């Protein structure tokens, strides 16, 4: 699922470079969903749920896999099982981005308006930063899956080096 999230991130950037901005924006939602599913699989999914997604693809296995939890339920099930900071980040992303991104996926007002009127540069920059932030979280998850080792500490260095390409950190309340 992390690899799929990275593929979606790359696809969004390719689509932006081609001028297909509405499609690129919708793909950021797919990227986010892939990351949520990855975290859910690691921290909250049962072995049965994991096997539903990793079994050989048949009509029967596809029907069974379609009965897995949707995004909100996966986020709910992550509470108390996954590290709280990434869960909070996923929840914040959903709170502020889910409805507008859903509009792009489902041909709603955001998609229609932006497709016809254009995309302001700050909106495209925000979308790229959000996508990059999701990619950083996928990278963190991969370090966890890898067991750390020599990968430990690389993600914070990447975050520092590329801070100008990532979502702004929220100010800390004293």
């Amino acid at each position: 699922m992390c690899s799929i999230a990275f593929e979606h991130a790359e696809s969004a950037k390719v689509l932006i470079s081609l001028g297909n901005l509405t499609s690129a924006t919708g793909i950021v939602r797919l990227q986010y969903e892939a990351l949520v599913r990855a975290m859910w699989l690691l921290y909250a999914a049962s072995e049965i749920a994991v096997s539903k997604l990793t079994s050989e693809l048949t009509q029967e296995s596809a029907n069974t896999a379609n009965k897995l939890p949707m995004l909100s339920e996966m986020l709910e099930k992550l509470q108390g099982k996954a590290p709280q900071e990434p869960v909070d980040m996923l929840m914040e992303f959903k709170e502020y981005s889910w409805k507008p991104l859903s509009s792009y996926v489902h041909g709603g007002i955001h998609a229609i308006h932006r497709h016809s009127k254009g995309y302001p540069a700050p909106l495209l920059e925000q979308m790229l930063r959000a996508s990059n932030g999701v990619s950083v979280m996928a990278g963190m998850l991969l370090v966890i899956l890898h067991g750390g080792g020599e990968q430990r500490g690389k993600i914070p260095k990447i975050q520092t080096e590329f801070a100008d390409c990532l979502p702004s950190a929220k100010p800390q309340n004293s």
Side-chain angles (χ1 to χ4, degrees):
M1 291 308 305
C2 290
S3 179
I4 292 170
F6 289 137
E7 180 180 321
H8 290 321
E10 181 179 14
S11 296
K13 290 164 184 66
V14 168
L15 288 168
I16 288 169
S17 73
L18 294 172
N20 295 338
L21 307 178
T22 306
S23 298
T25 305
I27 284 185
V28 173
R29 176 181 147 174
L30 301 179
Q31 180 191 9
Y32 167 73
E33 288 187 51
L35 175 62
V36 170
R37 176 76 53 138
M39 287 192 61
W40 174 77
L41 284 167
L42 179 61
Y43 291 108
S46 68
E47 288 300 318
I48 293 169
V50 172
S51 70
K52 287 178 182 181
L53 285 173
T54 56
S55 63
E56 192 62 36
L57 180 59
T58 65
Q59 185 63 49
E60 183 181 339
S61 66
N63 289 339
T64 302
N66 282 339
K67 296 175 185 154
L68 289 171
M70 300 304 282
L71 186 104
S72 292
E73 186 179 344
M74 286 189 285
L75 286 169
E76 211 173 275
K77 293 197 183 272
L78 284 169
Q79 295 292 341
K81 294 179 182 168
Q84 195 57 48
E85 186 177 359
V87 172
D88 289 345
M89 292 165 76
L90 292 173
M91 297 298 287
E92 182 179 354
F93 185 99
K94 183 178 185 247
E95 180 180 344
Y96 294 107
S97 302
W98 185 254
K99 287 185 180 181
L101 290 177
S102 294
S103 178
Y104 287 95
V105 170
H106 299 291
I109 189 169
H110 289 271
I112 292 168
H113 181 81
R114 290 293 170 215
H115 187 74
S116 65
K117 307 268 190 234
Y119 288 75
L123 180 63
L124 291 174
E125 184 179 310
Q126 178 186 15
M127 184 204 18
L128 282 170
R129 286 175 185 265
S131 176
N132 291 341
V134 172
S135 290
V136 166
M137 290 182 67
M140 290 175 182
L141 190 56
L142 285 174
V143 169
I144 292 166
L145 288 167
H146 180 265
E150 71 275 2
Q151 303 305 317
R152 211 175 294 249
K154 286 188 177 178
I155 299 295
K157 288 179 186 171
I158 290 169
Q159 288 174 291
T160 300
E161 184 176 347
F162 297 99
D164 60 331
C165 302
L166 295 169
S168 311
K170 287 174 57 174
Q172 298 293 321
N173 294 334
S174 315

